[in-house]
Amino acid sequence: MGETAIPYFLNPMFDINEKLLLEVLNSPNAFDKELNFKRGNRLEVFLFNHSTSGDNLYFNFRYTGKLWTAIDGDVFDLMSRFDKVIQGEIKVTE
């Protein structure tokens, strides 16, 4: 059972946000502390919109050993093949 939903990647802002996230991820100061990523590591970024319109966006990336690249997200693949190592939340102060 479930609810019909338009795929998040059809959102008009998806491509723009994905490109911006890739630029940030591949910049020297993307993270606030040194992290040692390994080839094949995955990162999912979830942008939550507090509205009831369901405009939440999921972005998935894979580390090649040198750069982050965008990949198609598959929640079932993530759940069955990967362990959650670190989870965090970015809080915006007003």
Side-chain angles (χ1 to χ4, degrees):
M1 299 310 255
E3 179 180 316
T4 304
I6 295 174
Y8 57 87
F9 55 83
L10 294 179
N11 182 298
M13 297 299 288
F14 184 84
D15 290 336
I16 294 167
N17 285 311
E18 183 179 68
K19 182 180 177 187
L20 289 171
L21 284 168
L22 270 175
E23 286 177 19
V24 170
L25 285 173
N26 288 314
S27 70
N29 299 319
F31 299 93
D32 60 350
K33 63 180 183 178
E34 177 134 359
L35 300 170
N36 296 313
F37 295 108
K38 297 178 182 160
R39 185 175 184 263
N41 281 164
R42 302 268 297 264
L43 174 68
E44 181 176 63
V45 176
F46 171 61
L47 300 181
F48 177 71
N49 182 349
H50 291 284
S51 75
T52 57
S53 66
D55 290 337
N56 303 324
L57 297 174
Y58 295 84
F59 300 91
N60 288 271
F61 304 96
R62 178 182 295 126
Y63 191 64
T64 66
K66 295 182 181 183
L67 294 172
W68 288 98
T69 59
I71 59 170
D72 289 332
D74 181 350
V75 67
F76 298 112
D77 183 49
L78 283 174
M79 289 172 28
S80 65
R81 295 186 45 215
F82 295 91
D83 294 326
K84 188 182 298 184
V85 177
I86 296 175
Q87 175 178 321
E89 180 177 334
I90 299 170
K91 296 182 180 181
V92 178
T93 57
E94 295 180 27

